[in-house]
Amino acid sequence: MAAVAEVSGETAAAKNMDSTPKSESELNVQKLVDMFKKLNPLAKEFFPSSYSHHQSNNHYHNNGQLSPNYFPTANKPSSNDNFPNNRRRRNNYNQGRRRSNARAFKAQREDSIRRTVYVSDIDQHVTEERLAALFSSCGQVNDCRICGDPHSVLRFAFVEFADEHGARAALDLGGTMLGYYPVRVLPSKTAILPVNPTFLPRSEDEREMCARTVYCTNIDKKVSQAEVKNFFESACGGEVTRLRLLGDHVHSTRIAFVEFAIAESAITALSCSGMVLGTQPVRVSPSKTPVRPRVIRP
């Protein structure tokens, strides 16, 4: 009986201890413990972005939590995925290729400049063929371009050689009489813009067509193709067999390629440079390209 009384006394004491009011801090800690017990560490919102976020929905329960049987793994790059690292590598490769192409183009342009001389004070009657023949004694001439108003003595030209030795030798021709004036020869600071090879003559017939063709610039936009044809036929006394009038919305004037029936008419047309057509004085020079018939595509 004494033992039973002792046990009942301890139980009563324990109940009295449990009924003792707890402090506020203990209650807060107990609330936190109860809240953390309810959290699921496998819930998808607790996983960082480095883990796979586009896995199959079979890994989730209806409440949006991950299945306990699923263990997440780091997302490995795939050739089919569009990862920033892959894009960065592709961009670096493209930029490197562009830089390589730019360096190659710059080196090619600098080499062309070293092989080119600038010629000034060219007589208005001197042709590109005659100028090239003069400098051919210095080396192989790749290209020769005469620029400026054909009626002005202040015309200039660029002559490009096959190697630098020819360009250096050409400097010694400064002061040579060509026509009525001595020419000046200096190292060039620019390269000759190459002509698209597809536009150049491809056969002997097309070279003969170039001899009958003139290139016209500074043509008034209000002038029609028929007016351009009538202008050259009346001024040159020859028939115009083909005419190509070109223009766009960027430039204020247009250009034209005029092909005559005979080469003598094309030579006469060169003297029309400076004559007013519409409201603008036209500039006429020999053409380097033939006027090919238009291809009608189905």
Side-chain angles (χ1 to χ4, degrees):
M1 294 294 293
V4 172
E6 185 178 355
V7 170
S8 61
E10 290 179 357
T11 304
K15 290 183 179 179
N16 291 335
M17 291 180 62
D18 292 340
S19 61
T20 304
K22 297 181 179 180
S23 63
E24 183 178 358
S25 62
E26 290 177 347
L27 291 175
N28 291 337
V29 171
Q30 186 64 37
K31 289 180 180 179
L32 289 175
V33 171
D34 294 339
M35 182 177 65
F36 285 135
K37 286 181 178 179
K38 297 179 182 179
L39 295 178
N40 182 8
L42 294 179
K44 60 181 179 180
E45 58 265 22
F46 290 106
F47 285 93
S49 59
S50 60
Y51 289 98
S52 175
H53 59 277
H54 58 277
Q55 299 293 335
S56 173
N57 292 331
N58 296 330
H59 299 307
Y60 294 95
H61 292 304
N62 293 333
N63 59 1
Q65 296 180 347
L66 279 171
S67 171
N69 297 325
Y70 169 71
F71 185 78
T73 57
N75 194 14
K76 297 181 180 181
S78 172
S79 59
N80 297 326
D81 293 336
N82 201 8
F83 287 92
N85 290 338
N86 292 344
R87 289 198 300 269
R88 190 178 299 111
R89 282 194 291 268
R90 286 196 298 268
N91 291 338
N92 292 339
Y93 171 75
N94 292 335
Q95 292 175 2
R97 185 170 59 179
R98 285 194 293 268
R99 284 194 294 266
S100 177
N101 293 339
R103 286 193 294 267
F105 175 78
K106 183 179 179 181
Q108 183 179 5
R109 184 174 181 274
E110 290 176 352
D111 175 69
S112 179
I113 292 175
R114 289 192 294 269
R115 293 184 286 104
T116 306
V117 295
Y118 170 77
V119 186
S120 61
D121 296 348
I122 300 176
D123 188 279
Q124 60 183 3
H125 300 291
V126 174
T127 63
E128 291 181 345
E129 290 76 11
R130 186 177 176 185
L131 184 64
L134 172 67
F135 286 98
S136 61
S137 60
C138 304
Q140 180 183 346
V141 176
N142 285 350
D143 201 351
C144 177
R145 305 279 183 90
I146 294 181
C147 312
D149 188 351
H151 295 290
S152 174
V153 70
L154 300 179
R155 291 198 304 167
F156 58 94
F158 296 93
V159 181
E160 179 183 311
F161 292 88
D163 50 39
E164 296 182 34
H165 176 75
R168 287 192 296 267
L171 299 177
D172 297 333
L173 295 182
T176 303
M177 292 295 297
L178 188 61
Y180 296 100
Y181 302 94
V183 295
R184 297 176 58 196
V185 185
L186 299 171
S188 178
K189 296 181 180 180
T190 60
I192 297 178
L193 185 65
V195 177
N196 190 331
T198 60
F199 296 152
L200 296 177
R202 302 171 184 171
S203 62
E204 190 63 33
D205 292 338
E206 289 194 345
R207 278 188 282 272
E208 190 270 336
M209 291 168 60
C210 286
R212 297 185 283 107
T213 306
V214 294
Y215 170 66
C216 310
T217 60
N218 201 43
I219 298 177
D220 190 347
K221 276 196 169 182
K222 297 180 180 180
V223 175
S224 65
Q225 182 164 321
E227 290 175 327
V228 175
K229 180 179 179 180
N230 294 333
F231 170 80
F232 281 103
E233 286 184 340
S234 60
C236 306
E239 178 187 1
V240 174
T241 57
R242 191 176 288 123
L243 189 147
R244 189 70 48 80
L245 186 61
L246 307 173
D248 53 32
H249 299 288
V250 178
H251 300 85
S252 58
T253 58
R254 292 190 290 180
I255 64 173
F257 293 88
V258 183
E259 180 187 305
F260 292 89
I262 57 176
E264 288 74 9
S265 299
I267 297 174
T268 306
L270 298 177
S271 61
C272 296
S273 186
M275 297 177 63
V276 176
L277 176 59
T279 60
Q280 301 288 340
V282 296
R283 300 191 184 98
V284 186
S285 59
S287 176
K288 296 179 181 295
T289 61
V291 182
R292 296 190 178 101
R294 292 186 184 273
V295 177
I296 300 176
R297 297 181 179 179

